[in-house]
Amino acid sequence: MNLPKYTPEEPISSIATALSPAALGIVRVSGKNSIDLISKVFSRPKALVQALGNTLVYGWIIDAENNNQKIDEVMLGVYKAPKSFTGEDMVEIYCHGGLSVVTKIQGLLLQNGFRQALRGEYTFRSYINGKTDLTKAEAVQEIIESHTDASRGRAAGRLSGSLYNEIESIKQLIIDTLASIEVEIEYPEDEETISDTFDRKDIEIAVSRLQSLVDSWKSEKLYQDGARVVLCGRTNAGKSSLFNSLLKEERAIVSDIEGTTRDWLESWASFDGIPVRLFDTAGLRKTEDVIEAQGVELSVSLSKDSDLVLYLIDSENGITDYDRDFLFKSNEKVIVVWNKIDKTQNKNKLCKEDFSKIKYYCGEVFLSAKKGTGISDIVQLAKKVLTEGLNTDREQAGLGSARQKQSVEEALESVKHSLISADNNYSLDAVVQDLEDSLESLGEVTGDVTPDDVLGNIFSRFCVGK
């Protein structure tokens, strides 16, 4: 999206709710004279124009060009600049949620001076009018796309300003150091080296905090994008039963007939807060059935593109050479799941199986998918594997996008180089340049300094009504 298409203050309108039957629908407008323009299609124009900000006005949307035909009974939420989401005059029309209703209202607005809003245009106006910064704007989209309470909570932290406040605090450390250096440049004394005038303390703190932000990205990305977890195993090992148990709904057909699942199913699940794209795959076996054989190939292919494989073994029948062949050739992280443990008396024997040849063996779990025992053990072990080496502590602010990570890494590199410059006794001007470069990079995170193409990329990913 090219930013010139965004025209600040121009009256814009869009349907802000899903285009599907619902109890309520919302049509949102913003821009100069937007209240006056809506009054042309409202049954109580004077009441609307005179309404105070942050109030509701009752009435009807009417078609003035069709004998004032009543379209729908509505409530109008009136918001006046600058106390609105966009910083402009805004109105939200709360109507009944029928498709014909919301589309008719939107059509009337477009006929009476409004332009169709572009993707992310409301949030863009909020940004340019100083109502939000880029970290909060991106957090809005994160919340919309979140799959679990944990991912939503992390995004909500950024929306409330946790990342912005951390960036501003780090910037202040750098600014304070710059101020002290500028004093030395303006009023030089007789120190023999830069180290006599350059206070490293605040910059070293900035390095530590910037590094912490960079390190947070892997964890935040996991909670945003989720992980791919594939259920594999021979036919009739209980993959579909486990799939249904983890989803807490009957999504996959469960049958004692081997080869029931011939294609793969997928759905989002929560592994103790971690969003997981869970795949139920066709059972692995040699078959002459062409369709089933394709399903087996897809199962193997999906497992090779996974973050974690849950490999199910029917503990009643025991492990086979086919199981061992798959496991020993696997290049993905694997948890071995002994299913149908309620039907076997040989649990101790199963524990003695040698899995040392599995390249990325992550442990074993004993399960009865039919009775639901062992499900929590799978979830907890899978979470441990997926978060290994990651800091999942939410006490610290975390980065919310690859764009933010790149800018913070650039800032970190500049700040580190300023210390190298000081250690090598470069001029104070060289140190100043490094620190100013770091401030510019941090400014790109919050939007104080941001190229137009970056803004276009950010806001074009939003939905039309946001």
Side-chain angles (χ1 to χ4, degrees), residues 309-351:
V309 172
L310 300 180
Y311 192 87
L312 275 73
I313 300 174
D314 185 338
S315 60
E316 186 177 21
N317 296 329
I319 191 168
T320 67
D321 290 338
Y322 196 102
D323 296 320
R324 293 188 182 92
D325 184 62
F326 178 92
L327 291 169
F328 296 160
K329 290 181 179 179
S330 176
N331 288 313
E332 288 69 44
K333 294 179 179 179
V334 176
I335 292 176
V336 174
V337 179
W338 297 98
N339 193 21
K340 306 180 184 180
I341 197 65
D342 54 303
K343 294 184 177 181
T344 182
Q345 302 299 321
N346 298 319
K347 181 176 178 180
N348 292 333
K349 182 179 179 181
L350 297 176
C351 292

Side-chain angles (χ1 to χ4, degrees), residues 102-338:
V102 292
T103 54
K104 178 62 177 180
I105 293 174
Q106 172 67 355
L108 285 175
L109 295 177
L110 297 180
Q111 293 170 20
N112 284 274
F114 287 95
R115 167 176 65 75
Q116 172 65 52
L118 301 174
R119 285 181 174 271
E121 191 162 7
Y122 294 97
T123 309
F124 172 75
R125 292 187 179 195
S126 178
Y127 163 69
I128 64 171
N129 289 325
K131 305 297 291 185
T132 189
D133 69 279
L134 285 190
T135 64
K136 295 178 183 178
E138 288 176 296
V140 170
Q141 187 67 7
E142 289 177 48
I143 288 178
I144 293 172
E145 296 177 347
S146 61
H147 295 283
T148 67
D149 286 344
S151 56
R152 174 199 49 76
R154 288 167 177 262
R158 283 182 282 277
L159 182 59
S160 67
S162 62
L163 178 57
Y164 176 84
N165 292 337
E166 177 66 4
I167 293 294
E168 289 299 304
S169 178
I170 294 172
K171 285 170 63 177
Q172 193 59 53
L173 291 171
I174 298 171
I175 290 170
D176 290 344
T177 303
L178 273 173
S180 64
I181 293 176
E182 293 291 350
V183 170
E184 295 299 331
I185 292 175
E186 292 295 327
Y187 304 100
E189 297 182 3
D190 296 330
E191 288 82 355
E192 295 182 0
T193 65
I194 290 179
S195 59
D196 295 325
T197 61
F198 185 70
D199 187 353
R200 303 170 60 97
K201 182 179 178 181
D202 283 351
I203 297 304
E204 288 174 345
I205 294 174
V207 167
S208 175
R209 290 168 66 175
L210 286 170
Q211 186 65 61
S212 178
L213 284 177
V214 171
D215 294 342
S216 75
W217 171 237
K218 287 184 178 180
S219 174
E220 297 298 325
K221 189 174 188 297
L222 173 63
Y223 278 91
Q224 282 183 33
D225 298 344
R228 291 169 62 94
V229 176
V230 177
L231 304 181
C232 280
R234 285 179 51 78
T235 55
N236 222 23
K239 297 181 297 299
S240 294
S241 295
L242 178 57
F243 185 74
N244 290 338
S245 296
L246 290 169
L247 296 183
K248 298 181 176 65
E249 61 176 292
E250 297 297 319
R251 279 290 308 278
I253 297 174
V254 177
S255 169
D256 291 333
I257 301 173
E258 291 189 349
T260 299
T261 303
R262 296 193 169 203
D263 200 354
W264 52 269
L265 296 175
E266 71 167 292
S267 185
W268 284 100
S270 174
F271 277 24
D272 196 20
I274 296 177
V276 166
R277 285 181 66 190
L278 189 65
F279 292 83
D280 178 26
T281 62
L284 303 175
R285 67 169 178 172
K286 294 181 180 179
T287 177
E288 299 299 323
D289 187 303
V290 176
I291 296 177
E292 186 180 354
Q294 290 179 341
V296 172
E297 289 181 11
L298 279 172
S299 299
V300 175
S301 177
L302 283 169
S303 71
K304 292 180 179 179
D305 193 30
S306 67
D307 296 300
L308 176 65
V309 172
L310 300 180
Y311 192 87
L312 275 73
I313 300 174
D314 185 338
S315 60
E316 186 177 21
N317 296 329
I319 191 168
T320 67
D321 290 338
Y322 196 102
D323 296 320
R324 293 188 182 92
D325 184 62
F326 178 92
L327 291 169
F328 296 160
K329 290 181 179 179
S330 176
N331 288 313
E332 288 69 44
K333 294 179 179 179
V334 176
I335 292 176
V336 174
V337 179
W338 297 98

